[in-house]
Amino acid sequence: MSEYAIHPSTEGVAMSVAKCVLVSCFIASMAASPVLVAQDAMKPGESADHGMVPKELVGVWTLVRCDNVYPDGHRVELYGPNPAGMWLIDAQGDYMMQIVRAKRMPFAANDKSKGTPEEYRAASMDSNAHYGHVSADANVMRSDIVHASFPNWDGRSGDSSYTIDGDELTYRVAKPSSGAAEGAHGEVVWRRVRS
């Protein structure tokens, strides 16, 4: 067993610690400067003034489901059953999001620079992360992505219909990172952890 391996009985504790560290880093970055992330992507002369951020969006969300829905109605779980993910949105609408497959294939060499083509493909397909700014009105959410793990989404902006039902938020992705050529749209569901 490697010195970095997590014993099955301590996996839950390690995950809780990892979540606490992630949330602490996010809160620290908000306190330092809530608009720095958005300003990174701005061109000279642009304003840091973004659209309204409804209070209902602000907080920490955990992933419930991330599916592609095809024209014939069938669904594909892009990150397998029970995917994991967190979406952190501050009061100014600056956000960071990460989605991962619950069970991922480790690199045999235990070195990110020495993966096989299959390992690199799985690492790419089994995760999605981006950060930027989000704003919304009662029906439409606008995302302005600064950078994403899928490079084609860097600088991308788009509108999505969304609903909030209790502590669950559902939105639609018109052109998902895979499957769009076959007519698929994405459907992503998040559950509020805390506001």
Side-chain angles (χ1 to χ4, degrees), residues 19-96:
K19 284 181 182 178
C20 287
V21 168
L22 181 61
V23 171
S24 297
C25 290
F26 180 66
I27 290 168
S29 70
M30 289 188 318
S33 177
V35 296
L36 280 180
V37 171
Q39 287 176 339
D40 264 353
M42 288 189 295
K43 298 180 180 93
E46 286 184 335
S47 168
D49 185 28
H50 296 289
M52 293 288 296
V53 183
K55 189 168 62 172
E56 297 80 25
L57 283 181
V58 175
V60 179
W61 301 83
T62 186
L63 187 67
V64 175
R65 186 174 74 237
C66 183
D67 296 345
N68 267 7
V69 183
Y70 287 82
D72 64 2
H74 85 277
R75 290 177 175 267
V76 172
E77 296 174 317
L78 290 180
Y79 303 96
N82 306 309
M86 287 190 81
W87 187 19
L88 309 173
I89 306 172
D90 75 9
Q92 289 73 35
D94 296 313
Y95 80 87
M96 57 184 171

Side-chain angles (χ1 to χ4, degrees), residues 56-157:
E56 297 80 25
L57 283 181
V58 175
V60 179
W61 301 83
T62 186
L63 187 67
V64 175
R65 186 174 74 237
C66 183
D67 296 345
N68 267 7
V69 183
Y70 287 82
D72 64 2
H74 85 277
R75 290 177 175 267
V76 172
E77 296 174 317
L78 290 180
Y79 303 96
N82 306 309
M86 287 190 81
W87 187 19
L88 309 173
I89 306 172
D90 75 9
Q92 289 73 35
D94 296 313
Y95 80 87
M96 57 184 171
M97 175 192 296
Q98 183 168 18
I99 298 173
V100 296
R101 182 178 293 273
K103 294 186 177 181
R104 301 171 67 202
M105 180 175 74
F107 284 28
N110 200 28
D111 184 328
K112 187 177 178 179
S113 69
K114 296 179 180 169
T116 66
E118 295 79 17
E119 290 168 341
Y120 287 131
R121 184 180 193 287
S124 173
M125 296 301 291
D126 290 351
S127 67
N128 187 11
H130 48 90
Y131 69 91
H133 185 83
V134 65
S135 58
D137 60 24
N139 305 306
V140 178
M141 178 170 34
R142 177 171 183 82
S143 297
D144 297 303
I145 297 172
V146 176
H147 285 294
S149 57
F150 180 52
N152 298 42
W153 281 8
D154 283 3
R156 174 180 158 185
S157 296

